[in-house]
Each structure stands twice: as C-alpha cells, then as structure tokens.
Amino acid sequence: DLTFKKQAENELKANEFRYRLVVEGIRDYAIIRTDSDGTIQEWNRAAEEIFQYTKAEAVGKKVRSIFTPEDQKEGVAEREMETARERGKAEDKRWHVRK
C-alpha cells in the first residue's frame, strides 16, 4: 500500500530530524558513532569543540586516533568499543588527543 509506505517514510524522516536535533544540541558531551571496525561515522558539535577536529576531518578516521599513545598500547580504545557493543554506549573520563 503506497499510503502506508509514504507514512512510514515521513515518520522515518521526522525521527531522523529529532535525532539530529538532540545529538547536535548536546554541547557538554562528545557523541561519536563508529562502525564495527572503529571507523568514525558520526561526530557531533561537542566532539568538534572538545577534540578540535571538524566533523569532516574526523569522519572516516579510526576512533583510536583520539586516544593517547599509552592508551592505544594498552588497548583502551578496543575495550571501549567492546563495551559500546555490549551496552550500546561507552563513557570515559580520560585524557584524549586533541588537534
């Protein structure tokens, strides 16, 4: 049914718009979405402000690049990605690399 399909498409667009408003409106927390290989797919404005990389500079890079060399050696980025896979998110309070 075309009416149902059109209604579902409109609902999807509205949900996407609301999601963008929330993610981009958050200023105190970096929201970074990666694929299963750790490649950055999404980078909000707070991430731009915190890490000093624009979205264009960050998307497509590996998320481990914002971890300190010491944390990279210890596998911290990989552990956080595993936590995110298991829980749907990973939060940390640690030093990261800025531009």
Side-chain angles (χ1 to χ4, degrees):
D1 180 44
L2 291 177
T3 303
F4 177 76
K5 183 178 177 184
K6 185 65 175 170
Q7 185 178 21
E9 287 173 358
N10 289 339
E11 211 170 295
L12 183 61
K13 286 178 187 177
N15 286 339
E16 173 71 15
F17 179 74
R18 284 190 291 273
Y19 169 80
R20 292 261 169 237
L21 281 176
V22 169
V23 169
E24 292 304 325
I26 294 172
R27 295 291 189 188
D28 297 332
Y29 298 97
I31 297 178
I32 304 165
R33 186 177 56 83
T34 68
D35 65 13
S36 60
D37 294 327
T39 302
I40 297 169
Q41 302 294 310
E42 190 166 339
W43 184 264
N44 74 341
R45 286 186 191 147
E48 288 185 333
E49 292 174 21
I50 292 167
F51 298 109
Q52 300 296 301
Y53 289 98
T54 66
K55 184 176 185 173
E57 291 172 316
V59 170
K61 305 279 191 245
K62 295 292 185 184
V63 74
R64 68 186 333 267
S65 66
I66 64 169
F67 287 81
T68 65
E70 296 81 17
D71 284 347
Q72 287 184 30
K73 285 180 190 173
E74 293 177 19
V76 173
E78 290 75 15
R79 285 196 304 273
E80 281 198 14
M81 286 180 49
E82 184 60 32
T83 298
R85 276 191 283 277
E86 291 171 0
R87 298 182 186 166
K89 67 178 179 176
E91 300 176 47
D92 73 15
K93 292 185 180 184
R94 69 178 65 254
W95 292 102
H96 285 90
V97 175
R98 291 173 38 157
K99 185 173 179 181

